Amino acid sequence: MKQKEELIIILDFYGQYNQLIARRVRECNVYCELVRHDISAEEIKSRGAKGVIFTGGPASVYGENAPVCDPKIFELGIPVLGICYGMQLMTHTLGGSVECADKREYGETEVLFEKSPLFDGFGKSNICLMSHTDRVESLPEGFRTIAKTDSCKNAAIENPQKNFYGIQFHAEVNNTVNGLKIIDNFVKKICGCSGSWKMSSFVKETVSDLRNKIGNGKVLCALSGGVDSSVAAALLNEAVGENLTCIFVDHGLLRKNEGDEVEEIFGKRFKSKFVRVNAEDRFLSKLAGVDDPETKRKIIGEEFINVFEEESKKIGTVDFLVQGTIYPDVVESGKGQGAAIKSHHNVGGLPDHVDFKEIIEPLRDLFKDEVRAVGRELGLPDRLVDRPPFPGPGLAIRVIGDITKDKLDILRDADYIFREELEKDGINKQANQYFAVLTNVRSVGVMGDYRTYDYMIALRSVNTVDFMTATITRIPYDTLERVSSRIVNEVKHVNRVVYDITGKPPATIEYE
Ligand code: XMP
């Protein structure tokens, strides 16, 4: 591994917020890497790390298989910050004692601070998130207490001579007020990092690492046109150019103009090879007459793999398969380190059907907004980078009941108008996902002097952080009225438009 200019090494003790710590360090514009907890002190030194952070974790230092660190880390002369279990491990290793409590302390707690470089710029107290069972009882030599709570006498400790710090609470989560400032103080004031690292450095370093790894090998990418696979493809395009082939399966279930937009960017502007497979007929004939949502999903998933497999066989053996896995996918799949792919990801199952040697997941440590920032760095258009999530089965789960090309075209036009109007009024900035749905309902209407019996379009727009729960977007009536009037005037066979005012739960975001 090559040496970075300013590096913070984070030792992973399996806490649930570990990548969040890495993300916070990056937010301070300092490069960091999350590594196994048993990394040797020698390696940390040879890589020129300016500081070390120990994460939290579920173990107790007295546990049989408790993860430990190389004790020589404390002899390197570089600062160490231990968080939760990390603080307890530091205490235990350096001769202090940790008390095994049987009651967990969990929640937002007021923490009282003393003067310390770690709390530079702080007032007397803050709300911090506590989540621990064991706690530090007596301090190792040279340490003093720098924070406490009503029930925790050593909420934070320091050894200012050696630059060792420990916090019992979680500075990395949003519930801890000024948490980012603690990390910022550690990496800049204590470790002396300048904070000059940027996303552009991530792009440069990742591209160079990918080049070294891939050499002249052949790379294959299943491009969906969504943010993650597009950014992953753009990184690989930058790194290996023509040795990358992107296969874009157009299943005919995309939004208006979307297939052409993907082709325009990846087919024309990129050096890599681009294959667009127009498989609309295949998908629609398999879906004909099917109205059960789960059957629709299954058919689409299987057919996607069939098409992709056929196309990839034409290319022959490839060395690497690229996946746009991002950090929340790793967490959602519940597999943690070494995880492969999110189970409901639209390219799920592919690796079993393609002949390749290794998977490359260049975005697996990044959060969604960081992925978008990487996309911007690589020159992808905002329209693509800011795109809200779009489900793998596409419009198939937004046409309720059986699917026909005519129904899909009606939906595409209505959806386009809705999105255009929300974007015009800037409402897309507050909504996290917005789209139209073709309901299976037809009703009576009147157009001019004629009776109509046509479809009802439902509009859906939600605000959400994690897509697990969602509230409706409060779209002004004026906007809704304009959308409705444009849809019924411009889209044939629609005579009624409704706005869905149901949150999640009880409804899901998609209709099927
Ligand atoms: P629901 O409908 O479960 O959706 O509230 C939550 C989020 O997941 C997306 N979604 C999917 N994404 N394949 C995907 O790649 C799928 O089968 C799928 N189903 C739902 C949905 O668009 C929303 O963002």
Side-chain angles (χ1 to χ4, degrees):
M1 245 182 272
K2 65 184 189 314
Q3 207 154 313
K4 314 277 178 193
E5 233 163 66
E6 283 186 345
L7 169 70
I8 296 289
I9 294 254
I10 305 173
L11 266 59
D12 184 358
F13 291 100
Y14 312 122
Q16 56 177 318
Y17 304 125
N18 292 357
Q19 273 298 346
L20 207 46
I21 301 175
R23 187 219 157 97
R24 297 293 179 232
V25 175
R26 292 198 291 268
E27 274 180 62
C28 301
N29 298 112
V30 173
Y31 182 77
C32 66
E33 277 177 30
L34 183 67
V35 301
R36 285 172 57 108
H37 60 83
D38 53 4
I39 185 174
S40 69
E42 212 172 295
E43 183 169 356
I44 293 178
K45 187 172 171 206
S46 74
R47 300 199 48 202
K50 298 201 89 170
V52 175
I53 298 178
F54 292 179
T55 72
S60 162
V61 291
Y62 300 114
E64 224 175 86
N65 295 317
V68 292
C69 64
D70 181 349
K72 291 211 175 70
I73 290 174
F74 298 108
E75 294 163 21
L76 290 175
I78 58 173
V80 180
L81 170 66
I83 299 178
C84 197
Y85 175 80
M87 167 189 182
Q88 295 158 10
L89 180 70
M90 177 160 68
T91 303
H92 180 63
T93 313
L94 296 177
S97 71
V98 173
E99 183 189 37
C100 290
D102 39 35
K103 224 175 105 221
R104 186 162 171 242
E105 183 187 15
Y106 181 85
E108 287 156 25
T109 312
E110 185 173 29
V111 175
L112 303 172
F113 300 113
E114 309 249 328
K115 263 201 152 343
S116 160
L118 198 60
F119 305 133
D120 197 40
F122 280 45
K124 280 204 169 95
S125 70
N126 253 357
I127 294 298
C128 300
L129 182 79
M130 284 284 185
S131 172
H132 66 113
T133 309
D134 292 0
R135 55 181 170 225
V136 168
E137 179 57 25
S138 66
L139 306 189
E141 210 184 305
F143 276 79
R144 70 181 195 101
T145 301
I146 49 171
K148 57 180 179 237
T149 73
D150 275 351
S151 57
C152 181
K153 63 179 181 182
N154 293 308
I157 59 175
E158 71 170 11
N159 178 335
Q161 273 76 43
K162 303 225 152 149
N163 273 327
F164 297 155
Y165 295 81
I167 49 178
Q168 185 54 71
F169 50 89
H170 290 273
E172 66 276 20
V173 298
N174 279 332
N175 319 42
T176 292
V177 178
N178 281 327
L180 181 61
K181 181 86 185 121
I182 294 178
I183 307 231
D184 194 79
N185 283 341
F186 178 70
V187 296
K188 294 192 184 143
K189 300 219 158 86
I190 297 167
C191 301
C193 293
S194 62
S196 52
W197 182 86
K198 293 193 210 70
M199 255 316 159
S200 53
S201 326
F202 172 89
V203 172
K204 243 191 262 159
E205 282 154 12
T206 308
V207 165
S208 135
D209 289 349
L210 286 169
R211 260 183 211 146
N212 290 338
K213 185 185 175 95
I214 295 166
N216 210 21
K218 278 202 167 148
V219 188
L220 183 62
C221 176
L223 186 67
S224 71
V227 180
D228 305 341
S229 70
S230 297
V231 174
L235 265 176
L236 266 299
N237 170 67
E238 195 69 23
V240 300
E242 287 190 344
N243 280 345
L244 167 71
T245 303
C246 294
I247 297 182
F248 168 52
V249 177
D250 184 346
H251 49 23
L253 304 164
L254 297 168
R255 289 167 291 198
K256 189 168 173 163
N257 301 340
E258 207 162 44
D260 295 342
E261 276 171 25
V262 173
E263 182 165 355
E264 171 66 31
I265 296 166
F266 293 93
K268 303 212 174 118
R269 288 199 233 160
F270 275 35
K271 288 173 276 178
S272 57
K273 297 184 188 106
F274 175 81
V275 181
R276 175 174 177 174
V277 193
N278 290 316
E280 181 183 41
D281 291 346
R282 277 180 73 159
F283 278 86
L284 293 195
S285 67
K286 285 251 150 95
L287 287 166
V290 179
D291 58 7
D292 174 61
E294 280 313 302
T295 315
K296 283 185 187 177
R297 277 170 196 271
K298 210 169 148 255
I299 291 172
I300 293 164
E302 282 170 6
E303 197 54 18
F304 180 86
I305 288 173
N306 291 340
V307 174
F308 195 87
E309 201 177 357
E310 280 167 31
E311 286 303 318
S312 64
K313 278 201 180 116
K314 292 184 192 158
I315 296 164
T317 313
V318 288
D319 300 288
F320 301 94
L321 180 71
V322 184
Q323 300 253 297
T325 318
I326 70 170
Y327 184 63
D329 300 339
V330 178
V331 176
E332 264 176 47
S333 67
K335 293 179 185 160
Q337 296 290 309
I341 339 135
K342 180 175 169 184
S343 60
H344 74 269
H345 197 277
N346 49 358
V347 293
L350 261 195
D352 298 336
H353 296 263
V354 180
D355 196 11
F356 68 99
K357 294 185 198 131
E358 201 180 327
I359 289 190
I360 298 184
E361 296 172 309
L363 308 173
R364 67 172 290 133
D365 292 340
L366 302 189
F367 289 79
K368 193 81 175 187
D369 56 333
E370 294 181 306
V371 173
R372 294 192 206 277
V374 170
R376 269 188 208 99
E377 283 294 332
L378 288 162
L380 291 177
D382 285 351
R383 210 176 143 69
L384 195 159
V385 165
D386 292 330
R387 190 170 271 183
F390 185 63
L395 300 184
I397 57 171
R398 294 181 183 167
V399 169
I400 301 178
D402 73 308
I403 301 164
T404 62
K405 171 119 175 47
D406 287 346
K407 286 185 183 174
L408 285 166
D409 285 339
I410 292 172
L411 175 59
R412 265 191 274 266
D413 285 342
D415 180 68
Y416 190 81
I417 292 170
F418 182 41
R419 288 187 292 125
E420 195 172 59
E421 290 299 327
L422 288 199
E423 281 154 27
K424 233 189 252 166
D425 288 359
I427 293 161
N428 58 316
K429 298 217 163 68
Q430 38 153 317
N432 301 98
Q433 199 166 3
Y434 45 99
F435 53 87
V437 172
L438 185 69
T439 69
N440 224 354
V441 171
R442 288 204 290 165
S443 67
V444 174
V446 54
M447 278 277 218
D449 295 332
Y450 294 98
R451 174 189 190 271
T452 56
Y453 186 60
D454 275 328
Y455 286 111
M456 181 166 89
I457 283 282
L459 307 174
R460 182 94 170 119
S461 179
V462 293
N463 298 6
T464 173
V465 175
D466 54 12
F467 295 88
M468 308 289 279
T469 60
T471 54
I472 61 157
T473 310
R474 288 165 188 259
I475 302 177
Y477 279 136
D478 286 350
T479 310
L480 285 172
E481 211 167 14
R482 210 169 52 241
V483 173
S484 163
S485 137
R486 274 196 64 192
I487 290 178
V488 291
N489 281 309
E490 295 174 36
V491 186
K492 266 199 184 139
H493 303 299
V494 177
N495 66 357
R496 199 176 288 269
V497 178
V498 295
Y499 184 47
D500 180 347
I501 51 167
T502 329
K504 174 182 178 180
T508 52
I509 296 172
E510 302 290 348
Y511 272 42
E512 287 196 338

